[in-house]
Amino acid sequence: MYIPENYSLTNQAEIHEFLHKNGFALLINQTLGKMWATHVPLVLDFKSDGTPYLLGHISKANSQHEGFAENNEILAVFTGPHAYISSSWYDHENVPTWNYIAVHVYGKIKIHSHEEAVLGLKKLVDKYEEKSENPIRVENLSEKTMREARGIIGFEIEITSIEAQKKLSQNRDDVNYKNIISELETLKDPQAKAMAEAMKKNRP
């Protein structure tokens, strides 16, 4: 990923927090001689020694898993808030742009056994059911329902490198920076409001 120096995100704690909050990723590899991508939730987890890795699954009907055996190299792309930035919001003439946060995770994929895949499902469900009024638990599902888990390929991704970018108008002075935030906050677009919050957090 092309990352101008001003926009480079290297703080590991911040990257891990981003991956936790923005877990719906684009999983990319080469399968059957062509590029293949699947939109899939991935969970950031940690080994006993603190090493981070990604946990997920895809359907057995998805041919992408055939490429895992051919080449275990994988790319997972995570995106956060993004918004169009109009140059009319500046106090000087300039070009419009787009603000965004994105993290690219490169790694090696390892296929799980059925038992490991079920444990992965449990971690995924527990994460997203945490705030539910009546949370679902995988271990409480019926045997009939759990037979559907036979239709998935569970996996983990050993992270080999991470590229992260946080493009939040860091190159603007305080006056224009604050004006961009104010303009974003007036928009009805949830992405624009989320970007405004990210910018406020980045430069209090």
Side-chain angles (χ1 to χ4, degrees), residues 66-188:
E66 295 181 33
F68 299 162
E70 300 169 2
N71 184 347
N72 65 354
E73 297 286 339
I74 202 86
L75 168 62
V77 176
F78 298 80
T79 56
H82 59 90
Y84 175 74
I85 307 300
S86 172
S87 56
S88 67
W89 301 344
Y90 305 149
D91 62 7
H92 59 282
E93 185 178 69
N94 211 309
V95 295
T97 189
W98 206 281
N99 279 2
Y100 62 92
I101 305 175
V103 174
H104 289 190
V105 178
Y106 298 84
K108 297 181 181 298
I109 200 162
K110 173 188 173 185
I111 302 301
H112 277 174
S113 66
H114 174 69
E115 292 72 24
E116 290 171 325
V118 171
L119 288 175
L121 277 176
K122 174 175 167 49
K123 289 184 178 182
L124 176 66
V125 171
D126 286 351
K127 174 184 176 180
Y128 289 103
E129 289 284 341
E130 186 177 20
K131 296 181 181 179
S132 296
E133 185 175 345
N134 299 296
I136 299 297
R137 295 284 180 259
V138 167
E139 56 267 39
N140 294 336
L141 296 176
S142 69
E143 182 179 345
K144 178 182 178 181
T145 297
M146 286 306 298
R147 279 203 291 269
E148 294 187 25
R150 295 285 179 184
I152 67 170
I153 299 285
F155 58 81
E156 64 181 72
I157 299 173
E158 173 194 349
I159 299 173
T160 55
S161 65
I162 294 178
E163 297 177 342
Q165 181 167 186
K166 183 168 61 173
K167 183 177 179 295
L168 305 178
S169 298
Q170 295 97 320
N171 58 332
R172 301 301 171 191
D173 59 42
D174 287 343
V175 171
N176 284 283
Y177 193 87
K178 291 178 181 178
N179 201 50
I180 292 169
I181 293 173
S182 296
E183 293 289 347
L184 287 169
E185 289 178 326
T186 66
L187 302 177
K188 295 181 179 180

Side-chain angles (χ1 to χ4, degrees), residues 9-20:
L9 173 57
T10 58
N11 184 290
Q12 292 302 302
E14 189 174 350
I15 291 172
H16 289 170
E17 180 183 7
F18 177 87
L19 294 176
H20 178 73

